[in-house]
Amino acid sequence: MYYLINPPFSVLREFLLQMKELRAIEDKKFAQRHPSPIFFRKDPAYFYGYVYFRQVRDKTLKRGYFQKSLVLISKLPYIHFFHTVLKQIAPEYFEKNEPYLEAACNDVDRWPAPVPGKTLHLPIMGVVMKVRIPTCHDKPGTTQIVQLTQQGDTLISVILPTVHEVDLFRCFCPVFLHSQMLWELVLLGEPLVVMAPSPSESSETVLALVNCISPLKYFSDFRPYFTIHDSEFKEYTTRTQAPPSVILGVTNPFFAKTLQHWPHIIRIGDLKPAGEIPKQVKVKKLKNLKTLDSKPGVYTSYKPYLNRDEEIIKQLQKGVQQKRPSEAQSVILRRYFLELTQSFIIPLERYVASLMPLQKSISPWKSPPQLRQFLPEEFMKTLEKTGPQLTSRIKGDWIGLYRHFLKSPNFDGWFKTRRKEMTQKLEALHLEALCEEDLLLWTQKHTEVETVDLVLKLKNKLLQADRERLPVKPDTMEKLRTHIDAIILALPEDLQGILLKTGTT
């Protein structure tokens, strides 16, 4: 007997590749059971650009400064995480140039896949970051990293409690008296412009606005830093048509003139450090906004549907007086927005759930039943007894807010997503109903042609379940494969050969 003490490199490489494939399969299964929240998923139509900007005084240059940026581009909306990565590597990169960046890229290349729900330890140039990507099963508003003392945690340099959230209070601080009105504008997908003195401040404010309606996803477009070089510049600045549903962040004074026709404009000054708060201003008329030097404030003629919640304002003002940290203020503001959004969406969720057919109406021998149609007026009638008044202390014209929302891109995107999820649930229940049947007994009462047709349909069901990640029970797929194999083995050998080559079981 011989033992392979030092295997050839090709054998070792093949083994490592197989292990990597097995881990990828397990990660995929884990991700199917723990998907990320809808508002946190990547959008195939967009990339996110994360920038670290450096400006160094240099008298030899015409402008007097040498400017350089390091830009990280990703499909993933992990705002806080990627900004932290840039802060770790950009300063050294500016000193050591490409070799340092190449080494950092090699570290990143060895990172595991970003699987929701798993705590990851990510080394980057001598620093180890501990992060966790949230799942849709996480309780909203809770810290994503559980602070446990584990063996090996002594090597952790950076622990990120969140991978995506911005400093919400710091961004809303200049206009926090109008936070609730801004929540309404974002919820309704209204055209919004943020005019700020710097790209970082415009970007952070736009991202904070988009984030304020979570766990709802903002389905319209948003541009944290929009410039005159963007391809949509002419479309957004034209006065021949109404502005689209988009949130823009701008810094160029030119936009103060060209975007004056937009219905809602937020003008912010320099974002203050934690513990400081700028003087709060009233809502102003758009005609008073002429240049970027106009006073900070919210310029709009919008009349909110809901009465302003004075309690949250007093709570935040008290926090400023007591010099409460910005992180703590952000937690309070985020919880407030979360409760407001949940109060608004729960009646919609309850009504949409009633559109689902009863499980007893699902027959294994018929196509899955269709969802009932969403009827706005029928939904409105449910609000009298099961509306947001059950969970929110805020008074106002909730009915008017719902009517406006039902016409918005956010409702359209939300309902399409829910309808897809519910349709997939029906498909999964139909698949499970099939598995509970004695399919082999069924084939004995039917012709070979009908049996072959059943096998092909069952194989298509398997492919569909895998392709669409249907929410089926763990053992359902295996049951169905067993049924298919048993049916095929009961057929003549010539048919067995054909069916075994058709698709996969």
Side-chain angles (χ1 to χ4, degrees), residues 238-295:
T238 181
R239 293 173 184 263
T240 58
Q241 60 188 32
S245 176
V246 62
I247 302 178
L248 300 181
V250 302
T251 60
N252 194 324
F254 180 68
F255 285 113
K257 182 190 295 183
T258 56
L259 296 179
Q260 256 189 356
H261 63 293
W262 278 54
H264 320 291
I265 297 175
I266 304 170
R267 168 73 176 95
I268 60 174
D270 294 321
L271 297 183
K272 301 293 183 181
E276 295 184 30
I277 185 167
K279 182 180 178 181
Q280 296 293 299
V281 291
K282 296 181 179 180
V283 174
K284 303 179 181 182
K285 295 180 179 179
L286 283 165
K287 66 180 182 180
N288 295 330
L289 181 70
K290 298 192 182 299
T291 68
L292 198 62
D293 296 327
S294 299
K295 292 182 179 179

Side-chain angles (χ1 to χ4, degrees), residues 448 451-452 487-499:
E448 285 186 1
T451 302
V452 169
I487 295 170
I488 291 176
L489 289 174
L491 289 169
E493 288 188 9
D494 57 337
L495 281 177
Q496 288 184 30
I498 294 171
L499 291 174

Side-chain angles (χ1 to χ4, degrees), residues 177-193:
L177 286 180
H178 314 301
S179 297
Q180 188 174 304
M181 181 182 70
L182 296 177
W183 173 85
E184 283 191 25
L185 293 174
V186 176
L187 179 76
L188 300 174
E190 287 287 306
L192 261 170
V193 178

Side-chain angles (χ1 to χ4, degrees), residues 187-248:
L187 179 76
L188 300 174
E190 287 287 306
L192 261 170
V193 178
V194 175
M195 294 184 175
S198 74
S200 61
E201 288 165 356
S202 81
S203 299
E204 287 180 25
T205 305
V206 169
L207 292 169
L209 287 167
V210 171
N211 187 254
C212 79
I213 65 168
S214 64
L216 273 177
K217 180 180 179 180
Y218 182 75
F219 280 94
S220 295
D221 194 4
F222 61 96
R223 306 296 178 87
Y225 180 45
F226 186 76
T227 73
I228 59 175
H229 305 291
D230 278 88
S231 57
E232 288 85 3
F233 173 75
K234 287 185 178 180
E235 177 190 347
Y236 292 168
T237 55
T238 181
R239 293 173 184 263
T240 58
Q241 60 188 32
S245 176
V246 62
I247 302 178
L248 300 181

Side-chain angles (χ1 to χ4, degrees), residues 46-62:
Y46 295 98
F47 283 96
Y48 286 80
Y50 305 92
V51 183
Y52 187 100
F53 172 74
R54 188 186 71 162
Q55 186 182 62
V56 180
R57 193 166 187 82
D58 189 338
K59 295 180 181 179
T60 63
L61 298 176
K62 187 176 181 181

